[in-house]
């Protein structure tokens, strides 16, 4: 057993209200004289806050020290599971038992090799089991890093693979809910407007404006140096014409150090379709980028494997 504890607060309406406001949850079941707590708050009632829990045992620390000593010095949260058995209502006193449920055999992932550790917490309300929370982490030895200078790879999964397929075909695709017609970006598995899961795509025209921006000065990331454009560069996006256009580094005409890794402009681009996305603003000095500047979509080949959507600034977009 790792921990036996008591929640620092009774289930209470202020915490429920703050949670619902933060989550944008307007379910009427969570307010009024017969309010219940959102089930997903299960773990929140057990948290120790900034001061932590003084009664926690050293079992977790001992296990982590053992794994650290074996070289598994990094950690990443992977997933959690919750099971709800009883509604929680204001005034309920929360107690809990937390234990290390499983430690997996050694596994190899893209992050590195290590062990998955599952912690189970049984949460009780007034002595009655209300739910179970399982939290899983990977304690691992980092895999050998790729050579410095390579552009970081985006995480491609089932929820956004269609977007990257579009980029490979030189198309910037925006999700459209087939339930209410709302456009959304970045890609999500469901509609924020109506909750529908079905969607199709709309190809962006390629026109946009700089809604906001920042200029990255430090630290320097060699992977963001502009590629050699003597034989390849950017391909204009939709509506920009045919053929290829050589691209100048975003900071090449400004006051950068000339190594192409900065300074460079990162813009929040408002597309003509109304959604916004983050990308580089290229083709103009980083210190000349301005809010409201028209931009035009291009696709930048950063190495042999990847092309990325960027936006070229200028009077004509």
């Amino acid at each position: 057993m790792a921990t036996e504890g008591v929640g620092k607060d009774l289930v209470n309406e202020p915490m429920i209200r703050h949670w619902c406001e933060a989550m944008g949850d307007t379910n009427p079941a969570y307010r009024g004289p017969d309010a219940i707590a959102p089930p997903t708050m299960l773990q929140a009632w057990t948290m120790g806050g900034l001061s932590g829990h003084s009664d926690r045992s050293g079992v977790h620390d001992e296990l982590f020290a053992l794994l650290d000593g074996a070289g598994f010095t990094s950690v990443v949260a992977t997933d959690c599971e919750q099971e709800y058995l009883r509604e929680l209502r204001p005034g309920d006193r929360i107690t809990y038992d937390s234990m290390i449920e499983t430690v997996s055999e050694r596994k190899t992932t893209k992050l590195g090799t290590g062990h998955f550790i599952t912690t189970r917490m049984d949460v009780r309300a007034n002595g009655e089991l209300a739910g179970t929370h399982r939290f899983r982490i990977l304690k691992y030895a980092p895999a050998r890093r790729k050579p410095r200078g390579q552009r970081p790879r985006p995480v491609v999964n089932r929820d956004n693979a269609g977007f990257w397929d579009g980029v490979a075909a030189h198309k910037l695709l925006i999700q459209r809910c087939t339930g209410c017609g709302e456009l959304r970006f970045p890609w999500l598995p469901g509609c924020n407007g109506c909750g529908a899961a079905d969607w199709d795509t709309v190809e962006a025209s390629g026109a946009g404006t700089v809604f906001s921006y920042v200029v990255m000065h430090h630290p320097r990331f060699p992977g963001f140096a502009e590629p050699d454009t003597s034989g390849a560069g950017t391909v204009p996006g939709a509506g920009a014409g045919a053929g290829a256009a050589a691209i100048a580094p975003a900071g090449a005409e400004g006051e950068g150090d000339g190594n192409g890794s900065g300074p460079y402009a990162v813009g929040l681009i408002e597309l003509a379709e109304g959604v916004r996305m983050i990308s580089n603003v290229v083709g103009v000095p980083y210190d000349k980028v301005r809010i409201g500047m028209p931009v035009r979509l291009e696709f930048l080949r950063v190495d042999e494997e990847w092309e990325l959507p960027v936006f070229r600034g200028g009077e004509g977009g």
Side-chain angles (χ1 to χ4, degrees), residues 31 36 38 48 63 67 79 96 165 174 202 207 230 235 241 251 276 295:
R31 59 180 183 270
I36 62 172
L63 176 60
L67 292 171
D79 64 289
Y96 57 90
D165 289 343
I174 304 169
V202 173
S230 59
V235 177
R276 298 169 187 161
V295 293

Side-chain angles (χ1 to χ4, degrees), residues 94-106:
I94 299 300
T95 57
Y96 57 90
D97 302 324
S98 176
M99 67 184 68
I100 298 169
E101 188 173 53
T102 60
V103 179
S104 75
E105 297 179 356
R106 187 156 59 178

Side-chain angles (χ1 to χ4, degrees), residues 89-125:
R89 298 182 179 275
D92 284 344
R93 167 63 69 185
I94 299 300
T95 57
Y96 57 90
D97 302 324
S98 176
M99 67 184 68
I100 298 169
E101 188 173 53
T102 60
V103 179
S104 75
E105 297 179 356
R106 187 156 59 178
K107 304 285 186 179
T108 298
T109 71
K110 286 187 177 181
L111 290 176
T113 299
H115 298 270
F116 289 94
I117 302 170
T118 303
T119 301
R120 191 188 84 208
M121 178 182 291
D122 293 329
V123 181
R124 292 177 171 80

Side-chain angles (χ1 to χ4, degrees), residues 55-185:
D55 54 352
R56 174 174 170 170
S57 77
V59 173
H60 280 96
D61 295 335
E62 292 172 8
L63 176 60
F64 273 47
L66 181 65
L67 292 171
D68 285 342
F72 305 115
T73 56
S74 296
V75 62
V76 63
T78 60
D79 64 289
C80 71
E81 304 171 10
Q82 291 187 337
E83 181 181 8
Y84 311 117
L85 303 174
R86 174 195 186 281
E87 294 175 342
L88 298 179
R89 298 182 179 275
D92 284 344
R93 167 63 69 185
I94 299 300
T95 57
Y96 57 90
D97 302 324
S98 176
M99 67 184 68
I100 298 169
E101 188 173 53
T102 60
V103 179
S104 75
E105 297 179 356
R106 187 156 59 178
K107 304 285 186 179
T108 298
T109 71
K110 286 187 177 181
L111 290 176
T113 299
H115 298 270
F116 289 94
I117 302 170
T118 303
T119 301
R120 191 188 84 208
M121 178 182 291
D122 293 329
V123 181
R124 292 177 171 80
N126 303 326
E128 180 182 354
L129 186 62
T132 299
H133 173 84
R134 284 182 172 85
F135 186 69
R136 191 170 293 109
I137 64 170
L138 172 64
K139 198 80 168 66
Y140 66 100
R144 182 176 297 178
R145 292 187 175 185
K146 294 182 178 179
R148 290 187 63 186
Q150 187 175 49
R151 181 73 67 104
R153 274 15 192 185
V155 176
V156 180
N157 54 41
R158 63 183 181 181
D159 292 330
N160 65 15
F163 170 78
W164 292 108
D165 289 343
V167 169
H170 294 160
K171 297 179 180 180
L172 183 61
L173 300 180
I174 304 169
Q175 279 184 311
R176 177 175 59 190
C177 175
T178 56
C180 66
E182 180 175 310
L183 300 180
R184 63 178 184 261
F185 195 93

